[in-house]
Amino acid sequence: MTGVEPDVLGPPFERYTIELDPDDEGPVVATLVRCRAARPSRRAVLYVHGFVDYFFQTHLAEFWTDRGWDFYALDLRKYGRSLLPHQTPNYCRDLGDYFPELDAAATFVRTSDGHDTLLVMGHSTGGLLAAVWAAARRDAGLVDGLLLNSPFFDINAPWLVRRPLAAAVTRLGRGAPHRVLPFGLGTVYGECLHTDHRGEWRYDLSWKPLAGFPVRIGWLAAIRRAQRQLRAGLDIPVPVLVACSTRTFRRKRWHGSAMLADAVLDVAHMVRWAPRLGPQVTVARIDGGMHDLTLSGPAVREKVFAEIDRWVDAALVDAGR
């Protein structure tokens, strides 16, 4: 972990670079962003972004610091601040590839910064990653709670595509994991978010392109393995909140209703597989929520944050965590 530096978001955000072992593409780093509460705190949140994403949601950090929690966000290897010129953007061959930076970040938050309580908040692919990592580290005492924002629990496609066809594609592509699949994420969700289109958020389109980065066979195989782990049951021993929209948007072109639904994943999958996380799972459905619930319209965001407040008080604060 390198020394602290100013972050691209400006004060009060600062960042550390996590030096990781090289992989087959060369040097690898991750980035830990920190924003402290106004007063010293023993509680912290660690945020993990999704696919085609990075941390830019300053209002999310403010929500936590206003409540007396220190806030941290991890830009995973090959994402956002951590993406190096020689790397394939957002690519991995197994979600376990990310465990070293999660271990390093959690250890730093607990040991170096002295926090007793750590809540891990994962969005989309970051939600799936946070879940399988928390399950793998269940005996390490690193995590006190999980907050999953529209987690990527299943592929948003008909059963024939997401099971036998996806299995055949990943099996045939084992010798060419970097091969690009002939489909992408589309631009609908990006149009809902960015200020250059119909959204209210400004972020770096080189780190979070409107149409996303190419989907590669090796990445799809990694996602499918993690999702099979989930379906088999993860037995996470800490409280978990799974929050998602009440609706899925399925059109290929933008429509106003996309601003009130999940335009990336199928929310029914999140609800279906949530019980496989562990014995203490709460599901919250947010009417009008977008894929990243915290980027929904102002009135919906208020409902999201109110739901998080209630769950944190009940599951962590009142429970003495």
Side-chain angles (χ1 to χ4, degrees), residues 178-224:
H178 282 268
R179 180 176 294 172
V180 175
L181 292 168
F183 59 82
L185 301 180
T187 64
V188 170
Y189 182 53
E191 290 179 54
C192 291
L193 298 182
H194 202 273
T195 54
D196 288 350
H197 298 272
R198 298 172 172 89
E200 60 175 296
W201 309 103
R202 182 160 295 280
Y203 50 82
D204 190 330
L205 288 170
S206 66
W207 288 349
K208 185 177 172 63
L210 201 68
F213 291 110
V215 176
R216 300 175 187 272
I217 289 177
W219 180 86
L220 178 63
I223 294 298
R224 293 189 69 253

XYZ file of all heavy atoms in Angstrom, residues 178-224:
387
model
N -9.891 -14.401 -24.080
C -9.997 -12.974 -24.401
C -10.915 -12.716 -25.592
O -11.132 -11.557 -25.957
C -8.612 -12.376 -24.676
C -7.830 -12.099 -23.428
N -7.862 -10.879 -22.783
C -7.002 -12.888 -22.702
C -7.083 -10.925 -21.721
N -6.557 -12.132 -21.645
N -11.449 -13.766 -26.174
C -12.317 -13.572 -27.335
C -13.566 -12.778 -26.940
O -14.211 -13.064 -25.936
C -12.711 -14.916 -27.938
C -13.611 -14.794 -29.166
C -13.886 -16.147 -29.773
N -12.655 -16.739 -30.317
C -12.568 -17.988 -30.766
N -13.645 -18.782 -30.718
N -11.429 -18.441 -31.246
N -13.911 -11.795 -27.750
C -15.049 -10.927 -27.474
C -16.333 -11.601 -27.926
O -16.414 -12.135 -29.043
C -14.884 -9.572 -28.183
C -16.131 -8.710 -28.009
C -13.656 -8.844 -27.652
N -17.331 -11.594 -27.074
C -18.632 -12.169 -27.409
C -19.432 -11.189 -28.271
O -19.289 -9.965 -28.137
C -19.402 -12.495 -26.131
C -18.788 -13.630 -25.300
C -19.422 -13.697 -23.924
C -18.946 -14.962 -26.020
N -20.303 -11.702 -29.129
C -21.015 -10.841 -30.088
C -22.235 -10.144 -29.495
O -23.294 -10.070 -30.115
C -21.416 -11.824 -31.184
C -21.624 -13.106 -30.462
C -20.574 -13.136 -29.377
N -22.120 -9.676 -28.286
C -23.187 -8.861 -27.705
C -22.555 -7.924 -26.686
O -21.457 -8.165 -26.184
C -24.269 -9.723 -27.035
C -23.764 -10.607 -25.930
C -23.563 -10.112 -24.650
C -23.486 -11.952 -26.164
C -23.096 -10.921 -23.623
C -23.014 -12.770 -25.146
C -22.825 -12.249 -23.872
N -23.230 -6.850 -26.406
C -22.717 -5.872 -25.454
C -23.802 -5.430 -24.502
O -24.896 -5.997 -24.468
N -23.494 -4.392 -23.744
C -24.438 -3.921 -22.733
C -25.458 -2.939 -23.287
O -26.469 -2.669 -22.657
C -23.668 -3.260 -21.583
C -22.651 -4.151 -20.860
C -21.975 -3.365 -19.744
C -23.316 -5.404 -20.315
N -25.208 -2.369 -24.461
C -26.109 -1.356 -24.987
C -25.881 -0.008 -24.318
O -25.099 0.123 -23.382
N -26.603 1.003 -24.779
C -26.393 2.363 -24.273
C -27.533 2.880 -23.406
O -27.442 3.981 -22.866
C -26.210 3.336 -25.460
O -27.414 3.371 -26.237
C -25.031 2.920 -26.335
N -28.608 2.107 -23.259
C -29.795 2.613 -22.551
C -29.460 3.069 -21.138
O -29.812 4.181 -20.723
C -30.908 1.544 -22.525
C -32.044 1.984 -21.587
C -31.462 1.301 -23.914
N -28.764 2.218 -20.382
C -28.479 2.563 -18.987
C -27.565 3.781 -18.907
O -27.800 4.697 -18.103
C -27.853 1.366 -18.286
C -27.569 1.602 -16.821
C -28.554 2.057 -15.963
C -26.290 1.369 -16.292
C -28.290 2.281 -14.619
C -26.024 1.566 -14.956
C -27.015 2.037 -14.118
O -26.752 2.247 -12.790
N -26.539 3.817 -19.751
C -25.650 4.970 -19.754
C -26.383 6.259 -20.083
O -26.101 7.319 -19.505
N -27.336 6.188 -21.000
C -28.129 7.369 -21.337
C -28.944 7.847 -20.138
O -29.205 9.045 -19.979
C -29.056 7.071 -22.509
C -28.346 6.878 -23.841
C -29.325 6.566 -24.956
O -30.275 7.350 -25.140
O -29.155 5.532 -25.617
N -29.376 6.919 -19.308
C -30.153 7.274 -18.117
C -29.306 8.008 -17.080
O -29.851 8.739 -16.246
C -30.727 6.020 -17.463
S -32.019 5.191 -18.412
N -28.000 7.811 -17.126
C -27.130 8.313 -16.067
C -26.411 9.608 -16.405
O -26.396 10.544 -15.606
C -26.069 7.253 -15.705
C -26.555 5.916 -15.156
C -25.348 5.048 -14.815
C -27.443 6.096 -13.940
N -25.781 9.667 -17.573
C -24.807 10.729 -17.835
C -25.481 12.044 -18.232
O -26.481 12.059 -18.950
C -23.828 10.288 -18.924
C -22.538 11.045 -18.873
N -22.356 12.244 -19.509
C -21.369 10.778 -18.226
C -21.126 12.694 -19.281
N -20.497 11.813 -18.508
N -24.866 13.150 -17.787
C -25.435 14.475 -18.054
C -25.402 14.846 -19.531
O -26.150 15.722 -19.970
C -24.679 15.559 -17.265
O -23.271 15.463 -17.558
C -24.889 15.402 -15.770
N -24.541 14.205 -20.315
C -24.515 14.476 -21.750
C -25.743 13.905 -22.465
O -25.974 14.204 -23.645
C -23.259 13.876 -22.392
C -21.995 14.631 -22.029
O -22.113 15.715 -21.434
O -20.893 14.131 -22.341
N -26.528 13.114 -21.748
C -27.698 12.477 -22.340
C -28.934 12.833 -21.514
O -29.375 13.961 -21.529
C -27.452 10.971 -22.469
C -26.293 10.666 -23.367
N -26.423 10.516 -24.721
C -24.965 10.522 -23.095
C -25.235 10.295 -25.257
N -24.333 10.292 -24.295
N -29.459 11.893 -20.729
C -30.694 12.180 -19.996
C -30.519 12.113 -18.478
O -31.501 12.200 -17.753
C -31.784 11.189 -20.444
C -32.132 11.295 -21.927
C -33.045 10.185 -22.354
N -33.535 10.365 -23.720
C -32.918 9.918 -24.812
N -31.774 9.245 -24.690
N -33.423 10.120 -26.010
N -29.311 11.933 -18.018
C -29.065 11.736 -16.605
C -28.593 12.985 -15.878
O -28.478 14.066 -16.460
N -28.273 12.828 -14.597
C -27.817 13.953 -13.772
C -26.393 13.757 -13.262
O -25.914 14.527 -12.430
C -28.753 14.158 -12.576
C -28.868 12.981 -11.628
C -29.724 13.292 -10.408
O -29.327 14.172 -9.616
O -30.787 12.667 -10.265
N -25.681 12.728 -13.771
C -24.369 12.390 -13.219
C -23.271 12.635 -14.251
O -23.412 12.264 -15.414
C -24.345 10.935 -12.762
C -25.490 10.624 -11.867
C -26.627 9.946 -12.178
C -25.643 11.026 -10.503
N -27.471 9.888 -11.107
C -26.897 10.543 -10.055
C -24.846 11.745 -9.617
C -27.362 10.757 -8.762
C -25.304 11.958 -8.320
C -26.548 11.464 -7.909
N -22.182 13.242 -13.802
C -21.019 13.434 -14.661
C -19.900 12.539 -14.165
O -19.539 12.584 -12.990
C -20.570 14.906 -14.661
C -19.378 15.160 -15.589
C -19.258 16.621 -15.960
N -20.394 17.074 -16.762
C -20.516 16.859 -18.059
N -19.595 16.166 -18.721
N -21.568 17.294 -18.713
N -19.370 11.734 -15.051
C -18.271 10.837 -14.713
C -17.393 10.643 -15.936
O -17.734 11.085 -17.046
C -18.798 9.499 -14.180
C -19.867 8.844 -15.028
C -19.545 8.096 -16.153
C -21.228 8.993 -14.704
C -20.536 7.502 -16.937
C -22.213 8.403 -15.484
C -21.861 7.661 -16.587
O -22.829 7.077 -17.369
N -16.259 9.983 -15.765
C -15.262 9.821 -16.819
C -15.710 8.725 -17.783
O -15.724 7.545 -17.431
C -13.911 9.460 -16.186
C -12.768 9.518 -17.174
O -12.994 9.278 -18.375
O -11.628 9.780 -16.741
N -16.058 9.117 -19.000
C -16.559 8.155 -19.978
C -15.462 7.257 -20.533
O -15.763 6.260 -21.194
C -17.260 8.885 -21.120
C -18.612 9.506 -20.756
C -19.120 10.406 -21.871
C -19.641 8.429 -20.426
N -14.202 7.567 -20.276
C -13.140 6.635 -20.658
C -13.045 5.491 -19.659
O -12.566 4.404 -20.002
C -11.795 7.362 -20.762
O -11.363 7.826 -19.495
N -13.486 5.699 -18.433
C -13.504 4.660 -17.411
C -14.861 3.960 -17.330
O -14.946 2.828 -16.875
C -13.171 5.257 -16.046
C -11.739 5.649 -15.873
C -10.692 5.344 -16.703
C -11.195 6.428 -14.816
N -9.537 5.873 -16.220
C -9.806 6.550 -15.057
C -11.732 7.032 -13.678
C -8.955 7.252 -14.194
C -10.885 7.735 -12.823
C -9.512 7.838 -13.076
N -15.906 4.646 -17.745
C -17.254 4.089 -17.722
C -17.951 4.472 -19.027
O -18.801 5.367 -19.063
C -18.029 4.624 -16.503
C -19.415 4.032 -16.272
C -20.030 4.599 -14.996
C -21.487 4.179 -14.827
N -21.640 2.725 -14.685
N -17.579 3.820 -20.139
C -18.133 4.192 -21.451
C -19.637 3.955 -21.520
O -20.171 3.049 -20.872
C -17.399 3.262 -22.424
C -16.220 2.736 -21.674
C -16.617 2.726 -20.238
N -20.277 4.758 -22.345
C -21.730 4.677 -22.467
C -22.182 3.271 -22.867
O -23.145 2.740 -22.323
C -22.214 5.700 -23.502
C -23.686 6.104 -23.408
C -23.945 6.897 -22.135
C -24.076 6.937 -24.626
N -21.491 2.665 -23.816
C -21.857 1.326 -24.291
C -21.034 0.227 -23.623
O -21.112 -0.936 -24.027
C -21.684 1.245 -25.801
N -20.257 0.580 -22.619
C -19.499 -0.415 -21.874
C -18.240 -0.865 -22.590
O -17.867 -0.352 -23.642
N -17.557 -1.837 -21.988
C -16.397 -2.482 -22.590
C -16.837 -3.828 -23.164
O -17.880 -4.363 -22.786
C -15.303 -2.697 -21.539
C -14.659 -1.429 -21.069
C -14.872 -0.959 -19.773
C -13.839 -0.702 -21.919
C -14.273 0.218 -19.337
C -13.238 0.483 -21.492
C -13.449 0.940 -20.201
N -16.062 -4.404 -24.073
C -16.429 -5.710 -24.638
C -16.568 -6.789 -23.566
O -15.818 -6.806 -22.580
C -15.264 -6.023 -25.573
C -14.671 -4.695 -25.920
C -14.846 -3.852 -24.685
N -17.532 -7.669 -23.757
C -17.722 -8.820 -22.880
C -16.919 -9.980 -23.459
O -17.113 -10.356 -24.619
C -19.208 -9.192 -22.763
C -19.386 -10.449 -21.915
C -19.998 -8.024 -22.161
N -16.021 -10.544 -22.659
C -15.115 -11.585 -23.137
C -15.471 -12.942 -22.522
O -16.026 -13.008 -21.417
C -13.666 -11.203 -22.837
C -13.268 -9.894 -23.521
C -11.883 -9.417 -23.148
N -11.646 -8.088 -23.702
C -11.157 -7.865 -24.920
N -10.827 -8.895 -25.691
N -10.983 -6.631 -25.364
N -15.104 -13.990 -23.223
C -15.485 -15.338 -22.802
C -14.936 -15.665 -21.417
O -15.635 -16.239 -20.576
C -15.016 -16.379 -23.845
C -15.859 -16.267 -25.115
C -15.114 -17.800 -23.279
C -15.429 -17.196 -26.232
N -13.692 -15.319 -21.154
C -13.105 -15.624 -19.850
C -13.824 -14.941 -18.710
O -14.017 -15.514 -17.635
N -14.252 -13.689 -18.953
C -15.005 -12.955 -17.924
C -16.355 -13.617 -17.679
O -16.777 -13.792 -16.537
C -15.199 -11.505 -18.370
C -15.966 -10.661 -17.401
C -15.485 -9.980 -16.333
C -17.392 -10.419 -17.416
N -16.501 -9.319 -15.686
C -17.681 -9.575 -16.330
C -18.426 -10.838 -18.249
C -18.975 -9.143 -16.050
C -19.712 -10.402 -17.974
C -19.978 -9.563 -16.885
N -17.043 -13.997 -18.754
C -18.339 -14.660 -18.612
C -18.193 -15.965 -17.835
O -19.028 -16.283 -16.972
C -18.942 -14.937 -19.985
C -20.292 -15.666 -19.994
C -21.363 -14.836 -19.305
C -20.716 -15.999 -21.425
N -17.135 -16.717 -18.100
C -16.899 -17.970 -17.367
C -16.693 -17.699 -15.885
O -17.182 -18.448 -15.027
C -15.691 -18.697 -17.954
N -15.965 -16.615 -15.561
C -15.739 -16.253 -14.157
C -17.052 -15.923 -13.460
O -17.288 -16.339 -12.308
C -14.779 -15.069 -14.077
N -17.904 -15.173 -14.135
C -19.203 -14.809 -13.568
C -20.045 -16.057 -13.332
O -20.661 -16.227 -12.273
C -19.938 -13.830 -14.500
C -19.202 -12.487 -14.580
C -21.382 -13.629 -14.050
C -19.096 -11.749 -13.270
N -20.077 -16.962 -14.299
C -20.902 -18.169 -14.176
C -20.430 -19.044 -13.018
O -21.251 -19.626 -12.301
C -20.901 -18.950 -15.488
C -21.608 -18.241 -16.637
C -21.786 -19.139 -17.852
N -22.747 -20.203 -17.569
C -22.423 -21.483 -17.388
N -21.164 -21.884 -17.422
N -23.364 -22.367 -17.155
